[in-house]
Amino acid sequence: MGLTLFGLKMAGTGKCLLVTGPPGVGKTTLIMRVFDMIRVFNPNLKIQGFYTREMRERGQRVGFQVVTLDGRTSLLASSTVSSQESMTWPNVGKYKVDIASFESIALPELQVKDDTHLFIIDELGKMEMFSPSFFPAVLKVLGSNIPLLASIPIPKFGRDLPGVARLKNQPGVTVITLSESNRDSMKEHIFDVFSGWLPKQ
C-alpha cells in the first residue's frame, strides 16, 4: 500500500523525495532540520551527501560553498574569483562555477556503498549540473533504492532544467512543493516518511 505525504500519494515503491519551491522559501533549512531529526532518531545511520551554503562578504552574497554532512567545504561558485583558470569556468549570472572544486567533494559523497542508509543532496541545480559526472552519479543513487532526500529549483518560466525534468520522471520519485505556509508541517511529514524507510536503533 502506498504511503501518503501531506495528502500526496507517494510514487510507487520508490524512496526518493525531491523538495522544490521558490528561492528563499527554506528548502535547505528544511532538509538540514530533517537531517538533524534523523540523526537523533538513529545516530548510527550512515548518511552521505552535501548541502549548499551562501558565502557572504560585508553583507553581500559573493558565492556558494558545497558542505558535506560532516562539515568539509569546497567552493561551488564565486562572483569575486579572478584567476586565469577561472576565465574558462561556466557562468550562472554573476557567478563563475568551479566544476573541479565541486566534483572533488560532491562526487565521493554520492558513491553508493553497501552500508549507506540515506543520501541527502542540496541541490540538484544549474550550477551542479555543469559537472558532466554529477547527474550520472545521482541516477546511480536513485537506482540503488537507498532513500534519497534532495532539493531541486522551481521551474524557470515554467520549464525545468533538462536533468531535473528527467529525474522527476524516474520511477519512484515524489516531488514536494514547499511554501511558507506548509514548510513547518512538511518537515514533520518528511521525517515520518524517512523514519519509516530507515533502520531503527
Side-chain angles (χ1 to χ4, degrees):
M1 186 175 177
L3 288 166
T4 300
L5 174 65
F6 212 63
L8 180 68
K9 189 174 175 59
M10 300 294 291
T13 58
K15 297 178 180 177
C16 174
L17 294 185
L18 302 179
V19 179
T20 191
V25 76
K27 296 186 292 292
T28 298
T29 300
L30 175 131
I31 284 176
M32 295 313 295
R33 284 180 178 169
V34 171
F35 169 60
D36 288 340
M37 293 166 73
I38 290 171
R39 284 198 303 183
V40 171
F41 165 77
N42 186 348
N44 298 317
L45 293 174
K46 182 172 181 183
I47 306 174
Q48 294 174 210
F50 64 87
Y51 65 98
T52 306
R53 181 168 67 193
E54 290 185 353
M55 297 162 53
R56 289 186 171 268
E57 291 180 4
R58 295 185 292 275
Q60 298 295 313
R61 187 170 69 189
V62 296
F64 299 90
Q65 284 182 320
V66 178
V67 187
T68 63
L69 300 178
D70 59 3
R72 291 170 290 121
T73 64
S74 192
L75 180 67
L76 172 59
S78 172
S79 63
T80 59
V81 67
S82 57
S83 66
Q84 188 70 31
E85 182 187 18
S86 70
M87 300 299 287
T88 63
W89 295 355
N91 285 62
V92 177
K94 66 181 181 178
Y95 302 104
K96 290 185 175 294
V97 182
D98 187 341
I99 297 173
S101 173
F102 168 70
E103 289 184 337
S104 71
I105 200 166
L107 294 183
E109 287 297 309
L110 299 183
Q111 290 181 355
V112 176
K113 300 174 183 175
D114 290 341
D115 59 348
T116 306
H117 295 106
L118 170 65
F119 285 97
I120 290 177
I121 305 173
D122 174 51
E123 73 173 343
L124 295 152
K126 187 173 183 178
M127 291 181 180
E128 293 84 358
M129 292 290 189
F130 276 119
S131 162
S133 302
F134 175 63
F135 188 65
V138 173
L139 290 180
K140 284 184 180 179
V141 167
L142 194 61
S144 73
N145 208 37
I146 295 169
L148 168 62
L149 175 60
S151 65
I152 56 174
I154 201 160
K156 196 169 186 178
F157 307 117
R159 296 183 64 181
D160 280 308
L161 297 170
V164 170
R166 183 177 168 192
L167 192 65
K168 287 166 73 171
N169 288 321
Q170 295 292 309
V173 172
T174 300
V175 180
I176 301 155
T177 301
L178 205 61
S179 67
E180 289 186 6
S181 62
N182 74 4
R183 61 189 177 190
D184 291 333
S185 56
M186 197 63 80
K187 176 187 67 176
E188 302 293 337
H189 284 281
I190 292 172
F191 170 73
D192 287 345
V193 169
F194 277 91
S195 62
W197 286 341
L198 295 168
K200 311 288 189 292
Q201 283 196 67

